[in-house]
Protein backbone atom coordinates (compact mmCIF):
# COMPACT_ATOMS: atom_id res chain seq x y z
CA UNK A 1 0.00 0.00 0.00
CA UNK A 2 2.95 2.33 0.58
CA UNK A 3 3.59 2.38 -3.14
CA UNK A 4 0.27 4.06 -3.85
CA UNK A 5 1.07 7.60 -2.63
CA UNK A 6 4.40 7.43 -4.47
CA UNK A 7 2.72 6.43 -7.71
CA UNK A 8 0.14 9.14 -7.22
CA UNK A 9 2.83 11.75 -6.67
CA UNK A 10 4.65 10.57 -9.79
CA UNK A 11 1.57 10.75 -11.96
CA UNK A 12 0.60 14.08 -10.40
CA UNK A 13 3.98 15.54 -11.29
CA UNK A 14 3.53 14.28 -14.85
CA UNK A 15 0.01 15.64 -14.97
CA UNK A 16 0.90 19.24 -14.09
CA UNK A 17 0.41 21.49 -17.09
CA UNK A 18 3.66 23.42 -17.40
CA UNK A 19 2.01 26.67 -18.44
CA UNK A 20 1.06 27.44 -14.79
CA UNK A 21 3.98 28.58 -12.67
CA UNK A 22 4.44 28.12 -8.92
CA UNK A 23 3.08 31.55 -7.96
CA UNK A 24 -0.17 30.89 -9.78
CA UNK A 25 -0.45 27.48 -8.17
CA UNK A 26 -0.05 28.96 -4.70
CA UNK A 27 -2.61 31.72 -5.12
CA UNK A 28 -5.27 30.22 -7.31
CA UNK A 29 -7.88 28.44 -5.14
CA UNK A 30 -9.55 26.97 -8.24
CA UNK A 31 -6.47 25.33 -9.65
CA UNK A 32 -6.87 22.30 -7.37
CA UNK A 33 -10.02 21.33 -9.27
CA UNK A 34 -8.29 21.41 -12.66
CA UNK A 35 -8.52 18.16 -14.54
CA UNK A 36 -5.41 17.27 -16.49
CA UNK A 37 -4.86 14.37 -18.83
CA UNK A 38 -2.34 11.74 -17.88
CA UNK A 39 -3.10 9.37 -20.74
CA UNK A 40 -5.10 11.04 -23.54
CA UNK A 41 -7.67 8.66 -25.01
CA UNK A 42 -10.58 9.10 -27.36
CA UNK A 43 -13.40 6.80 -28.41
CA UNK A 44 -16.36 7.50 -30.67
CA UNK A 45 -15.58 11.19 -30.64
CA UNK A 46 -15.69 11.32 -26.83
CA UNK A 47 -12.80 12.22 -24.62
CA UNK A 48 -12.17 9.28 -22.29
CA UNK A 49 -8.65 10.22 -21.22
CA UNK A 50 -7.17 8.81 -18.07
CA UNK A 51 -6.93 11.98 -15.98
CA UNK A 52 -5.84 12.94 -12.50
CA UNK A 53 -9.50 12.45 -11.52
CA UNK A 54 -9.46 8.91 -12.92
CA UNK A 55 -6.20 8.28 -11.08
CA UNK A 56 -7.74 9.24 -7.76
CA UNK A 57 -10.85 7.18 -8.47
CA UNK A 58 -8.56 4.21 -9.02
CA UNK A 59 -6.63 5.06 -5.86
CA UNK A 60 -9.81 5.44 -3.82
CA UNK A 61 -11.18 2.13 -5.01
CA UNK A 62 -7.81 0.38 -4.82
CA UNK A 63 -6.97 1.47 -1.29
CA UNK A 64 -10.49 0.88 0.08
CA UNK A 65 -10.91 -2.52 -1.53
CA UNK A 66 -7.39 -3.62 -0.60
CA UNK A 67 -7.91 -2.53 2.99
CA UNK A 68 -11.31 -4.20 3.36
CA UNK A 69 -10.21 -7.41 1.70
CA UNK A 70 -6.75 -7.74 3.21
CA UNK A 71 -7.70 -6.89 6.80
CA UNK A 72 -10.43 -9.51 6.80
CA UNK A 73 -8.41 -12.24 5.12
CA UNK A 74 -7.46 -13.66 8.53
CA UNK A 75 -11.14 -14.17 9.37
CA UNK A 76 -10.19 -13.85 13.03
CA UNK A 77 -12.78 -14.86 15.57
CA UNK A 78 -11.10 -12.27 17.76
CA UNK A 79 -10.49 -9.42 15.29
CA UNK A 80 -7.18 -7.67 14.89
CA UNK A 81 -7.28 -3.87 15.08
CA UNK A 82 -7.45 -3.41 11.32
CA UNK A 83 -10.02 -6.16 10.96
CA UNK A 84 -12.22 -4.47 13.55
CA UNK A 85 -12.06 -1.24 11.51
CA UNK A 86 -13.48 -3.12 8.54
CA UNK A 87 -16.08 -4.76 10.75
CA UNK A 88 -17.04 -1.41 12.24
CA UNK A 89 -17.55 0.04 8.75
CA UNK A 90 -19.71 -2.94 7.87
CA UNK A 91 -21.82 -2.73 11.00
CA UNK A 92 -22.10 1.04 10.81
CA UNK A 93 -23.57 0.95 7.30
CA UNK A 94 -25.60 -2.19 8.01
CA UNK A 95 -27.23 -0.57 11.08
CA UNK A 96 -27.85 2.58 9.08
CA UNK A 97 -29.63 0.70 6.32
CA UNK A 98 -31.52 -1.67 8.61
CA UNK A 99 -32.81 1.14 10.81
CA UNK A 100 -34.11 3.23 7.92
CA UNK A 101 -35.14 0.65 5.30
CA UNK A 102 -35.76 -2.44 7.43
CA UNK A 103 -34.41 -5.92 6.80
CA UNK A 104 -35.95 -5.87 3.32
CA UNK A 105 -33.59 -3.05 2.43
CA UNK A 106 -30.56 -5.22 3.17
CA UNK A 107 -30.51 -6.42 -0.44
CA UNK A 108 -29.15 -2.96 -1.29
CA UNK A 109 -26.47 -3.21 1.35
CA UNK A 110 -23.52 -3.70 -1.09
CA UNK A 111 -24.56 -0.55 -2.97
CA UNK A 112 -25.01 1.62 0.12
CA UNK A 113 -21.77 0.30 1.58
CA UNK A 114 -19.89 0.94 -1.68
CA UNK A 115 -21.30 4.46 -1.94
CA UNK A 116 -20.42 5.29 1.65
CA UNK A 117 -16.89 3.94 1.49
CA UNK A 118 -16.22 5.38 -1.97
CA UNK A 119 -17.36 8.89 -1.03
CA UNK A 120 -15.66 8.77 2.36
CA UNK A 121 -12.35 7.63 0.89
CA UNK A 122 -12.54 10.07 -2.02
CA UNK A 123 -13.18 12.92 0.46
CA UNK A 124 -10.36 11.79 2.73
CA UNK A 125 -7.95 11.45 -0.20
CA UNK A 126 -8.85 15.04 -1.05
CA UNK A 127 -7.55 16.13 2.34
CA UNK A 128 -3.94 15.41 1.33
CA UNK A 129 -2.16 18.47 -0.05
CA UNK A 130 -1.73 18.33 -3.83
CA UNK A 131 -4.23 15.49 -4.10
CA UNK A 132 -7.24 15.73 -6.37
CA UNK A 133 -10.71 15.45 -4.82
CA UNK A 134 -12.92 13.24 -6.95
CA UNK A 135 -16.12 14.42 -5.24
CA UNK A 136 -15.39 18.09 -5.95
CA UNK A 137 -16.82 17.65 -9.46
CA UNK A 138 -20.58 17.92 -9.88
CA UNK A 139 -20.63 15.31 -12.63
CA UNK A 140 -19.32 12.63 -10.25
CA UNK A 141 -21.74 13.44 -7.42
CA UNK A 142 -24.59 13.81 -9.92
CA UNK A 143 -23.81 10.42 -11.42
CA UNK A 144 -23.85 8.80 -7.97
CA UNK A 145 -27.09 10.62 -7.05
CA UNK A 146 -28.75 9.60 -10.32
CA UNK A 147 -27.64 6.03 -9.73
CA UNK A 148 -29.49 6.08 -6.41
CA UNK A 149 -32.62 7.82 -7.71
CA UNK A 150 -32.64 5.63 -10.83
CA UNK A 151 -32.48 2.55 -8.65
CA UNK A 152 -35.28 3.90 -6.43
CA UNK A 153 -37.48 4.50 -9.50
CA UNK A 154 -36.73 1.17 -11.18
CA UNK A 155 -37.03 -0.91 -8.05
CA UNK A 156 -40.06 1.06 -6.82
CA UNK A 157 -42.04 0.45 -10.02
CA UNK A 158 -40.75 -3.10 -10.42
CA UNK A 159 -41.75 -4.12 -6.90
CA UNK A 160 -44.91 -2.07 -6.33
CA UNK A 161 -46.10 -1.45 -9.89
CA UNK A 162 -48.28 1.62 -10.02
CA UNK A 163 -48.62 1.37 -6.24
CA UNK A 164 -45.29 3.17 -6.17
CA UNK A 165 -47.20 6.33 -7.08
CA UNK A 166 -48.78 6.21 -3.60
CA UNK A 167 -45.47 7.74 -2.57
CA UNK A 168 -46.82 11.03 -3.93
CA UNK A 169 -50.20 10.74 -2.21
CA UNK A 170 -49.86 10.77 1.56
CA UNK A 171 -52.72 8.99 3.30
CA UNK A 172 -55.20 10.98 5.40
CA UNK A 173 -55.09 14.12 3.26
CA UNK A 174 -58.44 15.82 2.46
CA UNK A 175 -59.45 15.30 -1.19
CA UNK A 176 -59.37 19.04 -1.87
CA UNK A 177 -55.72 19.24 -0.96
CA UNK A 178 -54.58 16.19 -2.93
CA UNK A 179 -53.62 17.99 -6.17
CA UNK A 180 -51.56 20.50 -4.22
CA UNK A 181 -49.91 17.86 -2.05
CA UNK A 182 -49.14 15.64 -5.04
CA UNK A 183 -47.54 18.59 -6.84
CA UNK A 184 -45.39 19.32 -3.80
CA UNK A 185 -44.44 15.65 -3.37
CA UNK A 186 -43.47 15.34 -7.04
CA UNK A 187 -41.39 18.49 -6.81
CA UNK A 188 -39.64 17.23 -3.70
CA UNK A 189 -38.96 13.90 -5.39
CA UNK A 190 -37.50 15.60 -8.46
CA UNK A 191 -35.31 17.82 -6.31
CA UNK A 192 -33.85 14.80 -4.51
CA UNK A 193 -31.10 13.95 -7.02
CA UNK A 194 -30.25 17.64 -7.29
CA UNK A 195 -29.98 18.20 -3.56
CA UNK A 196 -28.19 14.88 -3.06
CA UNK A 197 -25.51 15.68 -5.62
CA UNK A 198 -25.18 19.42 -5.01
CA UNK A 199 -24.91 18.96 -1.24
CA UNK A 200 -21.86 16.73 -1.52
CA UNK A 201 -20.28 18.67 -4.39
CA UNK A 202 -20.80 22.11 -2.81
CA UNK A 203 -19.58 21.07 0.63
CA UNK A 204 -16.38 19.58 -0.72
CA UNK A 205 -15.80 22.41 -3.21
CA UNK A 206 -16.46 25.22 -0.74
CA UNK A 207 -14.40 23.57 1.96
CA UNK A 208 -11.41 23.13 -0.32
CA UNK A 209 -11.64 26.68 -1.67
CA UNK A 210 -11.88 28.16 1.84
CA UNK A 211 -8.96 26.09 3.01
CA UNK A 212 -6.89 27.13 0.01
CA UNK A 213 -7.78 30.82 0.43
CA UNK A 214 -6.84 30.86 4.10
CA UNK A 215 -3.67 28.88 3.47
CA UNK A 216 -2.87 31.30 0.59
CA UNK A 217 -2.90 34.23 3.06
CA UNK A 218 0.06 32.74 4.93
CA UNK A 219 2.75 33.08 2.19
CA UNK A 220 1.14 36.34 0.99
CA UNK A 221 1.42 37.96 4.43
CA UNK A 222 4.85 36.47 5.14
CA UNK A 223 6.27 38.29 2.12
CA UNK A 224 5.70 41.75 3.64
CA UNK A 225 8.14 41.27 6.50
CA UNK A 226 8.01 40.80 10.26
CA UNK A 227 4.51 42.24 10.81
CA UNK A 228 3.26 40.01 8.03
CA UNK A 229 4.83 36.92 9.57
CA UNK A 230 3.19 37.70 12.92
CA UNK A 231 -0.08 38.47 11.15
CA UNK A 232 0.13 35.16 9.29
CA UNK A 233 -0.38 33.30 12.55
CA UNK A 234 -4.11 34.04 12.38
CA UNK A 235 -4.73 32.45 8.95
CA UNK A 236 -2.44 29.59 9.98
CA UNK A 237 -4.69 28.95 12.97
CA UNK A 238 -7.72 29.16 10.72
CA UNK A 239 -6.14 26.72 8.29
CA UNK A 240 -5.49 24.19 11.06
CA UNK A 241 -9.04 24.57 12.40
CA UNK A 242 -10.51 24.35 8.90
CA UNK A 243 -8.52 21.22 8.18
CA UNK A 244 -10.09 19.59 11.23
CA UNK A 245 -13.50 20.81 10.11
CA UNK A 246 -12.91 19.46 6.62
CA UNK A 247 -12.12 16.02 8.01
CA UNK A 248 -15.44 16.18 9.81
CA UNK A 249 -17.19 17.33 6.63
CA UNK A 250 -15.50 14.53 4.67
CA UNK A 251 -17.03 11.96 6.98
CA UNK A 252 -20.32 13.78 7.47
CA UNK A 253 -21.06 14.19 3.78
CA UNK A 254 -20.39 10.50 3.12
CA UNK A 255 -22.69 9.69 6.04
CA UNK A 256 -25.40 12.07 4.82
CA UNK A 257 -25.22 10.65 1.31
CA UNK A 258 -25.48 7.11 2.67
CA UNK A 259 -28.37 7.81 5.04
CA UNK A 260 -30.35 9.69 2.39
CA UNK A 261 -29.77 6.78 0.03
CA UNK A 262 -31.18 4.49 2.72
CA UNK A 263 -34.25 6.68 3.17
CA UNK A 264 -34.91 6.93 -0.56
CA UNK A 265 -34.56 3.16 -0.90
CA UNK A 266 -37.03 2.82 1.95
CA UNK A 267 -39.50 4.84 -0.14
CA UNK A 268 -39.01 2.38 -2.99
CA UNK A 269 -39.58 -0.60 -0.71
CA UNK A 270 -42.47 0.86 1.33
CA UNK A 271 -44.04 3.58 -0.85
CA UNK A 272 -47.11 4.28 1.31
CA UNK A 273 -46.31 6.84 3.98
CA UNK B 1 -26.04 27.12 -18.80
CA UNK B 2 -22.96 27.93 -20.82
CA UNK B 3 -23.15 31.63 -19.96
CA UNK B 4 -23.54 30.82 -16.24
CA UNK B 5 -20.49 28.59 -16.44
CA UNK B 6 -18.41 31.29 -18.01
CA UNK B 7 -19.58 33.86 -15.48
CA UNK B 8 -18.77 31.64 -12.53
CA UNK B 9 -15.52 30.70 -14.19
CA UNK B 10 -14.37 34.22 -14.82
CA UNK B 11 -15.58 35.46 -11.46
CA UNK B 12 -13.79 32.78 -9.50
CA UNK B 13 -10.83 32.05 -11.69
CA UNK B 14 -8.12 34.70 -11.48
CA UNK B 15 -5.79 34.16 -14.36
CA UNK B 16 -6.44 30.41 -14.47
CA UNK B 17 -7.09 28.35 -17.53
CA UNK B 18 -10.53 28.87 -19.04
CA UNK B 19 -13.79 27.96 -17.31
CA UNK B 20 -14.47 26.79 -13.78
CA UNK B 21 -13.21 23.17 -13.86
CA UNK B 22 -16.20 21.43 -12.17
CA UNK B 23 -18.51 22.92 -14.84
CA UNK B 24 -16.22 22.16 -17.76
CA UNK B 25 -18.39 19.82 -19.81
CA UNK B 26 -15.46 18.62 -21.91
CA UNK B 27 -14.20 16.53 -18.97
CA UNK B 28 -17.61 14.95 -18.21
CA UNK B 29 -17.33 11.96 -20.54
CA UNK B 30 -13.97 10.89 -19.18
CA UNK B 31 -15.06 11.35 -15.57
CA UNK B 32 -18.28 9.42 -16.11
CA UNK B 33 -16.52 6.56 -17.83
CA UNK B 34 -13.81 6.22 -15.20
CA UNK B 35 -16.35 6.60 -12.39
CA UNK B 36 -18.39 3.79 -13.95
CA UNK B 37 -15.32 1.59 -14.27
CA UNK B 38 -13.89 2.23 -10.82
CA UNK B 39 -17.17 2.32 -8.91
CA UNK B 40 -18.43 -0.72 -10.80
CA UNK B 41 -15.27 -2.60 -9.91
CA UNK B 42 -15.53 -1.46 -6.31
CA UNK B 43 -19.18 -2.58 -6.13
CA UNK B 44 -18.21 -5.94 -7.58
CA UNK B 45 -15.34 -6.42 -5.13
CA UNK B 46 -17.51 -5.40 -2.19
CA UNK B 47 -20.53 -7.50 -3.07
CA UNK B 48 -18.59 -10.61 -4.12
CA UNK B 49 -15.60 -10.66 -1.76
CA UNK B 50 -15.38 -8.16 1.08
CA UNK B 51 -18.95 -8.00 2.37
CA UNK B 52 -19.72 -11.75 2.29
CA UNK B 53 -16.45 -12.33 4.07
CA UNK B 54 -17.11 -9.78 6.83
CA UNK B 55 -20.67 -11.04 7.12
CA UNK B 56 -19.45 -14.60 7.60
CA UNK B 57 -16.91 -13.45 10.19
CA UNK B 58 -19.62 -11.65 12.15
CA UNK B 59 -22.02 -14.57 11.86
CA UNK B 60 -19.42 -17.04 13.03
CA UNK B 61 -18.70 -14.82 15.99
CA UNK B 62 -22.32 -14.27 16.96
CA UNK B 63 -22.95 -18.01 16.47
CA UNK B 64 -20.06 -18.77 18.78
CA UNK B 65 -21.32 -16.31 21.37
CA UNK B 66 -24.83 -17.79 21.17
CA UNK B 67 -23.35 -21.28 21.54
CA UNK B 68 -21.35 -20.22 24.59
CA UNK B 69 -24.43 -18.61 26.10
CA UNK B 70 -26.42 -21.79 25.48
CA UNK B 71 -23.71 -23.84 27.12
CA UNK B 72 -23.70 -21.50 30.11
CA UNK B 73 -27.49 -21.73 30.32
CA UNK B 74 -27.35 -25.49 30.15
CA UNK B 75 -24.79 -25.63 32.97
CA UNK B 76 -26.89 -23.23 35.01
CA UNK B 77 -29.97 -25.44 34.55
CA UNK B 78 -27.94 -28.47 35.60
CA UNK B 79 -26.69 -26.80 38.74
CA UNK B 80 -30.21 -25.58 39.52
CA UNK B 81 -31.44 -29.15 39.19
CA UNK B 82 -28.70 -30.41 41.48
CA UNK B 83 -29.66 -27.81 44.08
CA UNK B 84 -33.33 -28.77 43.77
CA UNK B 85 -32.48 -32.48 44.20
CA UNK B 86 -30.35 -31.73 47.22
CA UNK B 87 -33.10 -29.68 48.84
CA UNK B 88 -35.67 -32.35 48.06
CA UNK B 89 -33.52 -35.00 49.74
CA UNK B 90 -32.92 -32.76 52.71
CA UNK B 91 -36.66 -32.23 53.08
CA UNK B 92 -37.27 -36.01 52.80
CA UNK B 93 -34.68 -36.77 55.44
CA UNK B 94 -36.21 -34.18 57.75
CA UNK B 95 -39.65 -35.68 57.23
CA UNK B 96 -38.29 -39.15 57.91
CA UNK B 97 -36.54 -38.05 61.10
CA UNK B 98 -39.72 -36.38 62.24
CA UNK B 99 -41.65 -39.60 61.53
CA UNK B 100 -39.19 -41.69 63.50
CA UNK B 101 -39.37 -39.34 66.47
CA UNK B 102 -43.16 -39.34 66.30
CA UNK B 103 -43.23 -43.15 66.22
CA UNK B 104 -40.96 -43.42 69.24
CA UNK B 105 -43.09 -40.91 71.11
CA UNK B 106 -46.28 -42.80 70.21
CA UNK B 107 -44.80 -46.16 71.26
CA UNK B 108 -43.66 -44.88 74.63
CA UNK B 109 -47.00 -43.22 75.22
CA UNK B 110 -48.84 -46.47 74.37
CA UNK B 111 -46.64 -48.46 76.74
CA UNK B 112 -47.25 -45.91 79.47
CA UNK B 113 -51.01 -46.11 78.87
CA UNK B 114 -50.96 -49.91 79.18
CA UNK B 115 -49.03 -49.72 82.42
CA UNK B 116 -51.32 -47.09 83.86
CA UNK B 117 -54.38 -49.08 82.84
CA UNK B 118 -52.95 -52.15 84.61
CA UNK B 119 -52.25 -50.24 87.79
CA UNK B 120 -55.62 -48.60 87.71
CA UNK B 121 -57.37 -51.97 87.29
CA UNK B 122 -55.36 -53.38 90.16
CA UNK B 123 -56.30 -50.47 92.36
CA UNK B 124 -59.96 -50.73 91.41
CA UNK B 125 -59.93 -54.41 92.36
CA UNK B 126 -58.37 -53.62 95.71
CA UNK B 127 -60.93 -50.88 96.34
CA UNK B 128 -63.75 -53.28 95.48
CA UNK B 129 -62.32 -55.93 97.79
CA UNK B 130 -62.05 -53.39 100.61
CA UNK B 131 -65.57 -52.19 100.05
CA UNK B 132 -66.81 -55.78 100.11
CA UNK B 133 -65.07 -56.39 103.39
CA UNK B 134 -66.51 -53.21 104.86
CA UNK B 135 -69.96 -54.27 103.73
CA UNK B 136 -69.45 -57.69 105.35
CA UNK B 137 -68.30 -56.15 108.60
CA UNK B 138 -71.19 -53.77 108.55
CA UNK B 139 -73.72 -56.56 107.98
CA UNK B 140 -72.19 -58.62 110.72
CA UNK B 141 -72.29 -55.63 113.08
CA UNK B 142 -75.88 -54.93 112.19
CA UNK B 143 -76.73 -58.57 112.90
CA UNK B 144 -75.11 -58.33 116.29
CA UNK B 145 -77.01 -55.08 117.07
CA UNK B 146 -80.40 -56.89 117.54
CA UNK B 147 -78.82 -59.43 119.93
CA UNK B 148 -77.30 -56.60 121.95
CA UNK B 149 -80.59 -54.71 121.92
CA UNK B 150 -82.50 -57.79 123.09
CA UNK B 151 -80.03 -58.38 125.87
CA UNK B 152 -80.10 -54.71 126.82
CA UNK B 153 -83.90 -54.66 126.68
CA UNK B 154 -84.16 -57.80 128.82
CA UNK B 155 -81.73 -56.32 131.33
CA UNK B 156 -83.61 -53.00 131.36
CA UNK B 157 -87.01 -54.69 131.80
CA UNK B 158 -85.63 -56.85 134.53
CA UNK B 159 -84.11 -53.87 136.31
CA UNK B 160 -87.20 -51.69 135.93
CA UNK B 161 -90.09 -54.00 136.61
CA UNK B 162 -88.37 -57.17 137.70
CA UNK B 163 -90.62 -59.12 135.51
CA UNK B 164 -89.50 -61.99 133.60
CA UNK B 165 -90.28 -61.62 129.98
CA UNK B 166 -89.71 -64.30 127.51
CA UNK B 167 -86.97 -64.06 125.02
CA UNK B 168 -89.50 -64.25 122.20
CA UNK B 169 -91.47 -61.23 123.45
CA UNK B 170 -88.38 -59.16 123.71
CA UNK B 171 -87.27 -60.21 120.29
CA UNK B 172 -90.62 -59.15 118.71
CA UNK B 173 -90.67 -55.92 120.66
CA UNK B 174 -87.14 -55.05 119.56
CA UNK B 175 -87.82 -55.87 115.94
CA UNK B 176 -91.06 -53.83 116.22
CA UNK B 177 -89.16 -50.86 117.58
CA UNK B 178 -86.51 -51.28 114.97
CA UNK B 179 -89.36 -51.35 112.46
Amino acid sequence: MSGVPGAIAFCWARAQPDKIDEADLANDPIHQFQISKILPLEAMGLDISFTNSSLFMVATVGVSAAFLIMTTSGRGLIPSRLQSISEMCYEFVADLLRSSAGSEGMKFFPLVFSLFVFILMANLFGMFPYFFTVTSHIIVTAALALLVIGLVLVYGFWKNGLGFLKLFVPSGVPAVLIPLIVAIEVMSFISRPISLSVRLFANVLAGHITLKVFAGFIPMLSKIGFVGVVGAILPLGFTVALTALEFLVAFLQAYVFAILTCMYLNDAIHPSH
Amino acid sequence: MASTNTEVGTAADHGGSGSFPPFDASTFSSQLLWLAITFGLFYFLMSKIALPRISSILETRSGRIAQDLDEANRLKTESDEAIATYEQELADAKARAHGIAQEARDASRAELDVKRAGIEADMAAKVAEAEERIAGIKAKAMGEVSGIAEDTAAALVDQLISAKVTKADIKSAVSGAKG
Side-chain angles (χ1 to χ4, degrees):
Chain A
M1 271 199 295
S2 65
V4 173
I8 289 166
F10 172 73
C11 294
W12 178 252
R14 274 197 55 190
Q16 295 309 304
D18 41 16
K19 61 180 175 179
I20 294 166
D21 59 26
E22 283 298 310
D24 262 348
L25 217 162
N27 293 328
D28 179 9
I30 302 302
H31 181 265
Q32 58 182 323
F33 306 115
Q34 198 73 49
I35 288 191
S36 44
K37 293 174 188 175
I38 295 170
L39 185 66
L41 293 170
E42 210 181 295
M44 294 176 288
L46 286 171
D47 176 31
I48 52 160
S49 306
F50 190 80
T51 61
N52 53 347
S53 171
S54 322
L55 176 69
F56 277 93
M57 288 175 189
V58 171
T60 299
V61 166
V63 170
S64 320
F67 182 86
L68 288 164
I69 290 171
M70 278 158 64
T71 55
T72 53
S73 61
R75 293 165 186 270
L77 192 64
I78 296 157
S80 63
R81 283 178 203 178
L82 295 178
Q83 186 185 324
S84 52
I85 293 175
S86 296
E87 286 174 10
M88 274 160 67
C89 285
Y90 180 101
E91 286 184 325
F92 178 73
V93 181
D95 288 347
L96 203 67
L97 182 57
R98 202 177 290 118
S99 63
S100 42
S103 55
E104 229 181 308
M106 290 311 283
K107 62 172 76 107
F108 298 113
F109 177 59
L111 178 74
V112 178
F113 184 83
S114 304
L115 280 171
F116 174 73
V117 173
F118 183 83
I119 295 169
L120 177 66
M121 285 303 285
N123 289 350
L124 289 178
F125 259 102
M127 289 309 296
F128 286 94
Y130 297 107
F131 276 26
F132 181 84
T133 317
V134 172
T135 45
S136 69
H137 277 248
I138 184 82
I139 188 70
V140 172
T141 61
L144 295 175
L146 285 172
L147 173 68
V148 171
I149 299 298
L151 180 68
V152 167
L153 280 173
V154 169
Y155 184 79
F157 278 115
W158 176 74
K159 178 163 181 285
N160 307 295
L162 289 177
F164 182 58
L165 294 173
K166 272 191 291 187
L167 178 64
F168 303 116
V169 192
S171 54
V173 174
V176 194
L177 285 177
I178 281 187
L180 181 67
I181 297 291
V182 167
I184 292 172
E185 290 284 338
V186 169
M187 290 273 280
S188 91
F189 189 85
I190 290 168
S191 64
R192 277 175 183 184
I194 302 166
S195 66
L196 194 58
S197 55
V198 170
R199 183 184 299 110
L200 174 58
F201 158 70
N203 267 286
V204 173
L205 184 85
H208 279 69
I209 291 176
T210 318
L211 199 54
K212 182 81 177 183
V213 167
F214 274 100
F217 283 145
I218 303 169
M220 249 196 289
L221 283 169
S222 317
K223 274 181 201 155
I224 49 175
F226 179 72
V227 182
V229 171
V230 174
I233 292 171
L234 195 63
L236 178 64
F238 269 122
T239 309
V240 171
L242 277 172
T243 306
L245 181 71
E246 282 309 299
F247 273 108
L248 179 70
V249 168
F251 167 77
L252 210 60
Q253 287 306 318
Y255 173 74
V256 166
F257 198 100
I259 200 164
L260 286 173
T261 302
C262 294
M263 290 164 79
Y264 297 161
L265 286 170
N266 183 43
D267 281 346
I269 298 162
H270 315 105
S272 43
H273 281 257
Chain B
M1 195 70 186
S3 65
T4 326
N5 286 356
T6 341
E7 270 170 36
V8 173
T10 45
D13 201 352
H14 303 289
S17 49
S19 64
F20 186 53
F23 296 143
D24 181 2
S26 70
T27 64
F28 284 2
S29 54
S30 144
Q31 289 198 68
L32 282 176
L33 176 74
W34 287 102
L35 177 67
I37 293 171
T38 53
F39 190 76
L41 179 70
F42 189 58
Y43 178 82
F44 177 80
L45 288 175
M46 290 302 103
S47 61
K48 293 289 174 237
I49 302 174
L51 297 179
R53 187 185 284 177
I54 298 175
S55 159
S56 84
I57 290 172
L58 295 177
E59 262 167 34
T60 312
R61 186 176 307 147
S62 62
R64 176 68 184 275
I65 288 169
Q67 194 186 324
D68 285 359
L69 281 177
D70 281 355
E71 178 72 11
N73 267 333
R74 195 180 61 74
L75 291 175
K76 188 179 177 297
T77 317
E78 257 176 32
S79 74
D80 281 355
E81 271 168 15
I83 288 171
T85 316
Y86 162 77
E87 277 180 352
Q88 181 62 45
E89 275 181 6
L90 193 65
D92 283 355
K94 268 187 189 159
R96 218 155 40 225
H98 194 71
I100 289 167
Q102 187 66 41
E103 232 169 67
R105 218 175 300 140
D106 286 353
S108 66
R109 188 179 296 148
E111 203 181 331
L112 210 63
D113 282 353
V114 169
K115 263 188 196 159
R116 191 172 0 164
I119 289 166
E120 274 174 359
D122 207 17
M123 275 162 69
K126 275 184 182 156
V127 167
E129 196 186 328
E131 273 175 356
E132 205 176 310
R133 220 167 59 211
I134 290 165
I137 290 164
K138 199 176 167 185
K140 202 168 133 205
M142 285 307 238
E144 274 166 10
V145 164
S146 42
I148 291 165
E150 280 167 24
D151 284 351
T152 312
L156 279 173
V157 167
D158 190 40
Q159 281 286 320
L160 288 173
I161 56 170
S162 309
K164 282 277 186 208
V165 279
T166 59
K167 250 187 169 174
D169 285 343
I170 287 170
K171 204 173 185 168
S172 69
V174 166
S175 64
K178 241 166 78 184

